């Protein structure tokens, strides 16, 4: 789903001004993007819960900390995406184009949301990075298949570290790296998780 969002932004016509970006947010493709992305974070909580539950007996304390970090990431994303979908995309554009509307105030609300979103992405990515780092190093090594989880969360921790440093220290080189590796990294990470989940499910039915 995050890959789909990346594709939408990469292929959408450029919008230079806040007004153009706000109107673009109300298009069907962006409404579907936000809705599907919102739903995906509820599903992601379930995936993280399954993975962490599997590891509880191996290291309860660190696994619980990892899940808290990953759950915090999903929870913050759900809050942000809910405001984006139901207020920014479904309410503000209609108010903006209506006759007699206070366009300056509406655009101020839109830019304020973007600033708040930027600020919230720091704890959002940091908690996910912490949880990913814990699972990369402390997920059970009793079975060879579990290395898929170590690799998946290791890649995710590195990706998030690059993105955090690039965004909040304003390092252009890291921002370019983050952009270029985003889609292949996301596909690899979730591909490894899905492969692990399918293998574990198969073994549970065929002990």
């Amino acid at each position: 789903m995050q890959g789909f969002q990346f594709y939408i932004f990469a292929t959408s016509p450029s919008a230079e001004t806040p007004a153009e970006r706000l109107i673009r947010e109300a298009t069907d493709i962006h409404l579907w993007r936000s809705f599907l992305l919102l739903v995906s974070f509820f599903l992601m909580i379930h995936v993280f819960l399954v993975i962490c539950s599997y590891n509880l007996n191996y290291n309860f304390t660190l696994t619980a900390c990892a899940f808290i970090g990953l759950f915090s990431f999903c929870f913050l994303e759900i809050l942000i995406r809910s405001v984006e979908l139901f207020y920014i995309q479904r309410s503000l554009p209609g108010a903006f184009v209506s006759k007699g509307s206070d366009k300056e105030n509406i655009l101020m609300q839109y830019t304020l949301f973007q600033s708040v979103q930027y600020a919230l992405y720091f704890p959002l990515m940091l908690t996910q990075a912490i949880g990913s780092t814990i699972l990369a190093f402390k997920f059970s090594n009793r079975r060879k298949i579990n290395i898929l989880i170590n690799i998946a969360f290791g890649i995710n921790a590195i990706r998030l570290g690059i993105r955090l440093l690039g965004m909040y220290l304003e390092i252009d080189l890291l921002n370019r790296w983050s952009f270029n590796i985003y889609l292949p990294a996301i596909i690899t990470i979730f591909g490894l998780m899905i492969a692990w989940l399918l293998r574990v499910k198969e073994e549970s039915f065929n002990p």
Side-chain angles (χ1 to χ4, degrees):
M1 189 56 241
Q2 289 171 305
F4 174 68
Q5 174 177 248
F6 179 86
Y7 172 79
I8 293 299
F9 280 118
T11 58
S12 295
S14 61
E16 300 298 331
T17 67
E20 291 174 342
R21 290 195 294 270
L22 178 60
I23 297 302
R24 186 185 63 180
E25 291 291 336
T27 59
D28 288 342
I29 190 66
H30 281 277
L31 289 171
W32 275 108
R33 168 190 63 81
S34 296
F35 172 73
L36 293 174
L37 194 62
L38 177 60
V39 171
S40 75
F41 286 109
F42 288 98
L43 299 176
M44 210 175 293
I45 290 174
H46 176 70
V47 171
F48 290 150
L49 180 61
V50 170
I51 291 172
C52 290
S53 296
Y54 182 91
N55 202 53
L56 279 176
N57 291 334
Y58 181 75
N59 195 320
F60 180 88
T61 302
L62 285 178
T63 302
C65 290
F67 180 73
I68 291 171
L70 296 171
F71 177 82
S72 298
F73 150 68
C74 291
F75 180 73
L76 287 172
E77 279 282 18
I78 288 169
L79 291 179
I80 292 170
R81 300 303 170 181
S82 296
V83 174
E84 179 183 39
L85 175 61
F86 298 112
Y87 183 64
I88 298 299
Q89 293 180 281
R90 297 191 62 187
S91 177
L92 284 189
F96 182 77
V97 298
S98 64
K99 186 177 181 180
S101 63
D102 187 350
K103 290 181 170 52
E104 184 177 345
N105 180 56
I106 292 171
L107 289 178
M108 184 179 68
Q109 293 180 54
Y110 178 56
T111 55
L112 177 61
F113 167 77
Q114 292 179 315
S115 298
V116 172
Q117 183 182 36
Y118 175 83
L120 286 176
Y121 256 65
F122 180 77
L124 181 153
M125 289 192 290
L126 182 62
T127 55
Q128 187 190 8
I130 292 171
S132 296
T133 302
I134 292 172
L135 292 180
F137 288 100
K138 291 299 181 179
F139 199 77
S140 171
N141 59 4
R142 293 171 184 171
R143 300 167 62 190
K144 291 182 179 179
I145 190 66
N146 291 350
I147 196 172
L148 296 180
I149 296 298
N150 299 119
I151 295 172
F153 282 102
I155 294 172
N156 200 41
I158 293 170
R159 178 187 71 82
L160 289 165
I162 292 173
R163 190 173 178 190
L164 279 165
L165 291 173
M167 282 182 66
Y168 295 100
L169 296 182
E170 298 182 352
I171 302 174
D172 290 338
L173 177 62
L174 293 183
N175 282 328
R176 290 196 297 270
W177 283 358
S178 179
F179 179 83
N180 291 331
I181 70 173
Y182 181 82
L183 189 56
I186 290 297
I187 292 172
T188 301
I189 290 163
F190 285 98
L192 290 170
M193 289 185 193
I194 290 170
W196 181 85
L197 288 167
L198 292 175
R199 181 64 180 273
V200 169
K201 181 179 178 180
E202 178 184 347
E203 291 182 359
S204 68
F205 283 104
N206 300 281

